[in-house]
Structure formats: structure tokens, C-alpha cells
Amino acid sequence: MSQCEVFIKYNPYRLETKVELNNKPVPENSQLLIKNGRRLQEWIERLPEILRDECNEEDFHIIFQGTTPDYEDLLEVKALAAQSGINLECDHIRAIETQEKLPVIEQIFRDIQNGPIPELRDPQLTDSFEKAMGSEFHINVVATMSAGKSTLINALLGRKLMPSKQEACTATITEIKDTEIPNFRAKVVYKNDEIIDVPDLTYELMQKFNADPNVAEIHVEGNIPFTSSKETSLVLVDTPGPNNSNDPNHQAATEGEIKKSSNTLILYILNSTQLSTNDDNKLLDYVAASMNVGGKQSKDRFLFVVNKLDDFRPGEDKVETALENVRKYLKRHGIEDAQIFPASALTALDINTTLENIDLRNFDPFEADDNVLEAFQKIRKFNRNSELHLEQYANLRPSLRHEIENTLAKAKLEHDQKQEALIHTGIIPIEAAIRMYVEKYAKTAKIKNVVDQFTKKLESSQALENIKSEIASGTERAKNIQETIEELNGKLQSGKNARAFERMIDKIDYKSEISRIVDDANKNEFYPRIRAELEKSRGKLEKEQAEYELRKIKSFSDRLQADVEIKLGKVISEHVKKQANNLFEAYKKELDKLAGELKIGEVSLNPFELVSGELGANSDELLQKLTQTERVKTGRHWVENTNKRWYKPWTWFQESGHWTDDYENRTYIDGNELAKKSLAPLQASLIENMNSAKNYAEQQAQLVKEAFKKMFRELDAALEKKLAELRDYANQAKDNAQALEESQEKQRWLEEMNSRVDAILEI
């Protein structure tokens, strides 16, 4: 049977895919006709089966045109396909990589700023560009207690900053943002909303803040050494684990991040010496559910770090056996083909701290103090024992493995024992995997966002210059354009259309739709779960049994509240975003209606084009600004929860309070009555929280409506300003040859810049 030729071109910036079979386009009904807007990672795993079904063959030659990270995804699929008897022979046509595009973008921005169009030098474009280039990418570090989470974060930072304690003591969320500043600084947010600035953050200060029960959040900035903030600003997020927090809503926040389909990378840390804790089991159930939705990207975003492998003794313990146990453990939770990275975070941290200023070439162990000697012995242990060369077990792409092998060879050649051991600790492979994910997903999205910002501004300027050129030409069309400008300006000045548009905004109904969705979730998902819990037969229980059942019911209540928060938070945010996008489209139609079919020759006077540059690439930027700061109390509680804040949506669903259970002096406790009594507050709280969600949705609706009214008034003012500019230009430039030449020169410059900007997205 002959080999089938397959050509695939994938553009990760435009999210466009082209597939050919035997040099012919695929048929209209083919599964290989991939719709624009889909990432390669959403469908690439199914490629071998699709090819076999559609071509009735099992031997294929694939020529892939695209970036290296995407090509390496194809190579992974190739290896899996071989297990099913499908042979994929793959060749790569190299595309322009993300790191090559960023300098081009910066040069284009400088050229636009130095160009002949004054309005392209305004602060708004600069601000939009800087925001897009400095977009943050969050890495959530997740672990249960004693897994070594703080040590791993410190190892990634290359310094001791995060305090590490064994006991469950903290409910503090810490975010560490990558910047170019040499030291670390912080904003410490207290539960009473007080904020203090810490210009020079130290380990001792972090210990103090971390142990303070009144501290809610710590926002840190400083240099994360394995990445560059100029390309993407990483944010390491340390959220207390489920068994290490005094606030159950932190567990809900962690589970919410895990459930996201993209955007956030998860570093899930497992203790190699202590698998299968109850808290791990709960979180891994969420991980498995998330990994099974959304294709390969959903799997890529979870890196499982198996920590504390420095405790293993060569010859007695086997690293491979430990990792195989981890794979089996994850598989029992439904997690297949996990990306596993073995590590010794403590050894890596010691290399960068304890031994930072020690020259090992002149090292005398007899003169070293105990800490230095212990760190030195760890280096010897990792460098001498090939079984502890942890990089060999890491799930690395070929390009990353090659990169690390070259770094290792250089370290050996230069007798750099510290760098060699650092690679063997597994930290450098973890850093490389993080950079790869950022390059494949975050940077491509950022590049597209920057291009959108440029394009809108350039299109607005081009629309303006096209009209100016017609005016300067002094033709009959110029006269018609001037009349149209006066007519449009008169309509805007009357305010009639603006008032009609504001009435349309007022009619938008958020609450009824969200109320329907909330009630459906209540009826079909949450109350059935409570009923099922109540229907469990518990019978007569001794006191110890009753206490155990109470703990189980409390765990059930926490999980249900977390699920309510995640689901309803998502419903509200998605609905608000949908309505905001609808308002953008409605405004565009309103301007089209205002202008009518005002087309003069080849030039159309489109009001929306004149002001589209004043808008962001979409409505997201506006929505991010809509944050309530008012504190609202929803009623009386058994014991008031003072942490509830209306500006923190994740606190809507905290229990209104708690019950204190009184035990009568009897031998047995009725387990069924105990369940009813214990779950009664949950049912009452659920009703209150559902109503709170509906009310919050209505409040958000009012905020969005007012924000859009304000924005549209500003856009109308911007349109009036541009029409006035055109009117003044018409009075000065009519039949002016020099003005015509200048306008045409600007048009040529804008066309060139548009071509350069558009080319950024080509591969």
C-alpha cells in the first residue's frame, strides 16, 4: 500500500490550519477541514485515527509547516500512533518563532511613534502597547502540606524568600511577579483592607507576614531569574493547600484555577515519600476533570513535580520505582500520560544560596561549617550517582532535552560542579518546561493582541487620511464629503441618537437570564447532591463515629460551596462579557445607522472606522476595570463571617456562619438526625448565596451599563473632534496641492505600516 502525503500548515498567531492530502485540498466534509480559531492542540491527538479513517491507510508522510513547539506536539502524536500500528513519517518546514517576532514588534512600535501621524503618538497607544507587551502569565503552585512547595518556589527564585513550616498555620495568598528590579518588594494586604508597602522584602519579614492571621494577601515583585519580564511577566501564585489553610475559600480558589481550560499553568507538587493523602485525592479529582476537557493544551498546563528525591539512597531506593508509583497513583485518578518532573528542590536551593559565594575548586571540607559541608556533600551525591541525574526522567521535548544536554556538557567541560548538580536536581528541566508552555501559548496570544492594538489605530488613521485626501483634491466628491461632515456633526450635536442608544442599554436584562441559569443549577445539580447526602443511612452512632460523620459532612459542605462558587462565578462573568461584546456591536450599528449609506465614489465616510482606534481590541480591558469596592452586609448570621466582601466574588459563597453542635448525655447519637441538623445551615446558606449571586449580577449589570454609557459618550466626543478636524482641514486645504501631496504621502506610509503589522502574524 502506497504512502499517503499529508501537508499541514498551522499558524498559531492567527489560529489558522491548512491541510492537503496528496497535494489536493481536503473535501468539504472532511474532519481535516479545521475551522479557523482552533488551536492545533485541540485536534492533533486525533490526527492519526482521522487519517486512517479517511485515507484507509496506515502509512503517512507528513510535512508540517509551523513553529518548533507545535511540531514537537506532532512528534509526540507520532510516538503514540506507532502503538496503534499507524506510521507517521514527519518532516518540518521551519516557521518564524515567537522570540524572533518580539524585536520586530518593538521596532514597528518605535517607527509608528516616530512617523508622520501625530495621533499615533498619543499616550493611549503607548499605554495599550505597554499593557499588551507586559501581559502577565500566572503559574499556580499547588500542593498539600509537607510536599515542599515553598522550597520549590525558593529554588525557582534562586533565593530563600518563602517561609516553610510543617504545621498548618497560614491562610495567606502570595503572588510573586517577575520584574527587572534587583531586590524584592511587596504590598501587604490586611483583612481590614489596610495596605502597607515593603520596599525591601526579606525572608524574616515574609515569615512575620505569613504568620500574621490578619494578613490576607502579599503581592511581591522581583527578579525571577529563569525568565525575562520583557517577554512575558510571569506571576508565581502560592495559594495555601487544602490542609494548610484557615480559610476554606482558598481551596475554592485553587480548585477554580485548576478547572480553567487554559491561561494558567499549574505546578502540582507531590511528595515522593508520601503519596495518596486525602487532600491530594480531592485536588487530583479536579485535575483529572480539567485535563479531560479541551484537548492537549489542557494536559500541557499541568506539570507534576515529584519532590524530595534527595532523600533517596542510591542502591537502596530506586528513582524509577518511585516515579512508576507516581504514574500508577495518578492513573488511579484518571490522569493518563502526566508530565512528570522529578526534583530535589532543597538541593537546588542550597546550591544557589548556601554555596552561592563558595568556589568549589578551592574547597576545603575540613574548614567548612556544617551547612556548607552538607550542601557540598549533596552536590557530590548528585554528580557521582547517575541514578540521581533527575533530568533523564523528566518529560522533556526533544529541543529542550538537547538544550539541557548542551548546558550539561558545557558545565562538565568547565568543571562547574554547581551548574552540573543544579541540572541533576531537576529544577532546570522544570524551568525549561515553563518557558516552553509560555512560548507556545502565552506569547502567541500576546503577539496577536499587540497586532490587534496596532491595526485598529492604523485603520482609524487611514480612514481619516483617505477623507483628507479627497477633501484636498477639490473634486465634486470633496464637496459632498464636506456636506456629509456637517450633516453628521449636526446629528451628533442634537444628542437624539445618543439618547436612543442609552435607552437601548438600559433595556438590557442581566438578572432574568442569570436567575434562570442559577435556578436551573440549583434545581438540577446542587439540591440533588444535598438530598443524596441526606438519604445516606447513618443509623445510631457512637460519639467518635458521630464526630467522624460530622467531618465528612463538613467536607461535603465545603466541596459543594466551592462548586457553587466556581459555577456561578463563571456564569456571571461569561454573561457579562457576552453582553459587553453585544454592546460593542450595537454601537457600531448605531453609527452605521447614523451615517446611512454615505458613500462618495471610492471613499466611504464610515464614522465607526474613524473612532475604532479609540476602542480596545475587545471589551475585556474595559471589564477588567469594573471592580466594586463597596462593602455590603447581606443580613444577620449565626456567627458573622467578617471576611465577606462584595468586591471579592470568591467570598460570596462563604457560609453565613457556623453552628455549634450540642451533644446530649446519651450513649448513641441518631446519625440521620445529625446529618439533617448539620446540613440545614448549608441549605439555608445555599439559598442566601444563590440570591446574593443574582443581586450581584444585577449590580454588575448596572456597573457595565454605566461604564458603556460613559465610554460611548467619550467615543461620540472623539468622533465630534475628528469631524471638526476634517471641517477645519476642508477650510484650509481645498484645492491645495501641497496638502494633497502630504495626505497622499501619509496614506502610503500607513499602507506600509499596515503591511508590516499584518506580516507579524505570518509564519
Side-chain angles (χ1 to χ4, degrees), residues 214-259:
N214 296 313
V215 172
E217 300 167 9
I218 306 173
H219 299 274
V220 181
E221 290 186 357
N223 182 36
I224 300 177
F226 69 88
T227 184
S228 170
S229 63
K230 291 181 180 179
E231 295 183 356
T232 299
S233 186
L234 290 188
V235 180
L236 291 172
V237 183
D238 177 19
T239 304
N243 61 355
N244 196 29
S245 173
N246 299 318
D247 187 343
N249 284 277
H250 290 331
Q251 178 179 349
T254 299
E255 291 170 349
E257 290 298 321
I258 287 174
K259 280 192 169 184

Side-chain angles (χ1 to χ4, degrees), residues 168-191:
C169 62
T170 179
T172 306
I173 295 175
T174 302
E175 292 187 350
I176 306 170
K177 180 180 177 180
D178 184 32
T179 63
E180 297 301 309
I181 60 173
N183 66 320
F184 280 77
R185 62 192 181 200
K187 288 186 182 295
V188 181
V189 182
Y190 286 84
K191 291 179 180 177

Side-chain angles (χ1 to χ4, degrees), residues 181-222:
I181 60 173
N183 66 320
F184 280 77
R185 62 192 181 200
K187 288 186 182 295
V188 181
V189 182
Y190 286 84
K191 291 179 180 177
N192 64 359
D193 299 331
E194 179 189 358
I195 299 176
I196 65 168
D197 288 312
V198 182
D200 191 8
L201 186 65
T202 63
Y203 178 79
E204 290 71 26
L205 285 172
M206 279 296 292
Q207 279 185 309
K208 173 188 171 184
F209 296 133
N210 207 47
D212 188 341
N214 296 313
V215 172
E217 300 167 9
I218 306 173
H219 299 274
V220 181
E221 290 186 357

Side-chain angles (χ1 to χ4, degrees), residues 543-710:
K543 185 174 181 180
E544 290 79 8
Q545 293 174 310
E547 290 173 344
Y548 173 71
E549 286 296 325
L550 275 175
R551 287 195 296 271
K552 285 173 61 179
I553 292 168
K554 176 66 167 61
S555 177
F556 167 81
S557 299
D558 289 346
R559 177 56 54 84
L560 183 65
Q561 293 281 34
D563 287 350
V564 168
E565 173 193 348
I566 292 166
K567 187 178 184 71
L568 298 190
K570 184 178 180 182
V571 164
I572 291 172
S573 63
E574 286 183 351
H575 191 71
V576 169
K577 183 176 180 179
K578 177 184 174 183
Q579 292 292 351
N581 285 325
N582 289 344
L583 283 173
F584 271 102
E585 290 303 313
Y587 179 75
K588 183 177 179 180
K589 290 178 181 177
E590 189 67 18
L591 285 183
D592 287 343
K593 178 182 173 184
L594 181 67
E597 295 296 324
L598 300 171
K599 195 163 187 177
I600 304 105
E602 298 301 317
V603 179
S604 61
L605 182 53
N606 186 325
F608 187 77
E609 285 183 0
L610 291 176
V611 293
S612 62
E614 307 295 325
L615 298 170
N618 51 47
S619 59
D620 289 349
E621 188 175 328
L622 175 71
L623 294 177
Q624 289 170 4
K625 298 176 183 176
L626 300 177
T627 304
Q628 282 185 300
T629 56
E630 180 184 6
R631 184 185 304 177
V632 180
K633 194 171 180 179
T634 57
R636 298 183 62 192
H637 312 294
W638 300 283
V639 178
E640 186 180 1
N641 181 348
T642 58
N643 191 41
K644 288 187 81 169
R645 299 284 189 277
W646 281 102
Y647 64 89
K648 296 180 181 178
W650 56 88
T651 68
W652 307 336
F653 308 103
Q654 291 180 8
E655 291 179 318
S656 302
H658 63 267
W659 288 78
T660 300
D661 293 280
D662 299 319
Y663 293 95
E664 297 178 12
N665 188 20
R666 55 179 177 171
T667 306
Y668 293 104
I669 295 169
D670 188 322
N672 296 326
E673 287 300 316
L674 181 68
K676 289 179 183 178
K677 182 178 179 182
S678 300
L679 288 172
L682 174 63
Q683 295 180 80
S685 179
L686 193 61
I687 293 171
E688 179 184 353
N689 287 329
M690 292 289 183
N691 290 332
S692 295
K694 296 174 186 178
N695 292 333
Y696 180 84
E698 183 62 21
Q699 291 168 11
Q700 283 295 95
Q702 292 305 319
L703 280 174
V704 172
K705 288 177 182 180
E706 290 305 316
F708 270 97
K709 286 179 184 178
K710 180 176 181 292

